[in-house]
Amino acid sequence: MLMLLIVIALCPSAALAQEQVGQRPYELDWAGRTQDHHPPLIDFEEPAGWMVETKGSEASFERSREQLIWGDWVGKLTYRGTADGPTVRILAPGAIDIPTAFDAVTLWVYGNNWAWSPDPTTPQVGINLLLEDAAGEPLNLFLTRVYWKEWFMPHLRLTPEQLERLRGGAKFLGFEVTGGSNAADRVIYLDNLVFFTEEFPPLKFEPRPMRGIDMFPGQG
């Protein structure tokens, strides 16, 4: 199938002067959270030669400050469908080594629709992560389907079979967005792609306080 290849220059200077600058979620400021849960592999803070491949769609990808969450920049995908099976691939400038062992992945996504209030003009899109395993073979990981209108952090825990393929090393190639059959342009934003190993320390709880009244005999 023919794929349309578009090279995107992030942060063009002409657009920067007119760009709207958003505000990060106030809950994070109230909580004093200025850093994500782990250092990200991708954070869009530096300009890079991301490329967009499309099938049955038209799309562009750029660095943006219209919505913010971590740092000063996020990635902005603008897309619309033109034929059946619309697919958009956002490809990194090259294969990026994932430097540490991992069994989980998170990505911050600012969506464009609500699950509880379907909008026929804005179909839910799926997001996949494009990796290369230790043998140099592609591995496509389904991360989430977008059905919210604010920042949300989808969390993927890899299966034993996926971990086995990635045990000897892994590279990140890009993102794949599917299902964007909308006729008019729609936008989602991405930030902080994190690969990490989850830790599950034992849970500890303080003893429950005594009740303020005496219980009847035999009552717990």
Side-chain angles (χ1 to χ4, degrees):
M1 296 183 180
L2 181 63
M3 303 285 283
L4 175 64
L5 181 64
I6 306 173
V7 179
I8 302 300
L10 296 187
C11 188
S13 58
L16 181 60
Q18 303 176 2
E19 186 179 33
Q20 174 184 352
V21 179
Q23 292 184 333
R24 69 195 303 260
Y26 65 85
E27 298 93 336
L28 296 178
D29 291 333
W30 288 3
R33 288 189 59 190
T34 59
Q35 302 293 328
D36 209 350
H37 61 97
H38 283 78
L41 180 71
I42 303 294
D43 61 11
F44 305 108
E45 292 300 308
E46 299 296 332
W50 292 84
M51 296 185 297
V52 173
E53 290 181 352
T54 64
K55 178 174 72 71
S57 60
E58 294 184 2
S60 64
F61 187 71
E62 60 188 319
R63 206 168 57 138
S64 173
R65 298 193 295 170
E66 293 173 356
Q67 297 291 345
L68 296 178
I69 184 163
W70 305 111
D72 297 320
W73 298 93
V74 302
K76 175 185 176 181
L77 174 66
T78 304
Y79 63 94
R80 60 186 175 91
T82 58
D84 292 339
T87 301
V88 177
R89 286 193 165 193
I90 309 167
L91 301 177
I96 301 174
D97 287 316
I98 303 173
T100 58
F102 64 94
D103 59 17
V105 189
T106 59
L107 172 71
W108 287 89
V109 181
Y110 195 102
N112 54 23
N113 70 92
W114 290 116
W116 47 266
S117 181
D119 177 3
T121 69
T122 309
Q124 298 175 5
V125 296
I127 297 181
N128 300 280
L129 305 178
L130 306 176
L131 304 186
E132 184 180 285
D133 67 13
E137 296 296 325
L139 177 60
N140 192 330
L141 302 179
F142 175 72
L143 178 65
T144 191
R145 185 162 296 282
V146 178
Y147 50 84
W148 56 85
K149 281 188 177 181
E150 54 192 17
W151 284 112
F152 185 74
M153 187 187 76
H155 175 185
L156 171 67
R157 184 164 177 82
L158 276 67
T159 67
E161 293 76 17
Q162 292 167 342
L163 290 172
E164 184 61 31
R165 287 186 59 181
L166 300 171
R167 191 174 304 280
K171 297 179 185 293
F172 171 74
L173 304 180
F175 307 97
E176 182 180 72
V177 179
T178 62
S181 58
N182 38 281
D185 283 349
R186 292 293 181 265
V187 173
I188 61 173
Y189 300 88
L190 310 176
D191 203 13
N192 276 25
L193 175 66
V194 179
F195 294 87
F196 66 105
T197 298
E198 288 193 288
E199 298 180 359
F200 300 99
L203 298 177
K204 296 181 180 180
F205 300 95
E206 295 294 328
R208 293 180 62 183
M210 297 292 293
R211 295 179 182 270
I213 58 174
D214 292 334
M215 302 302 294
F216 289 111
Q219 300 297 306

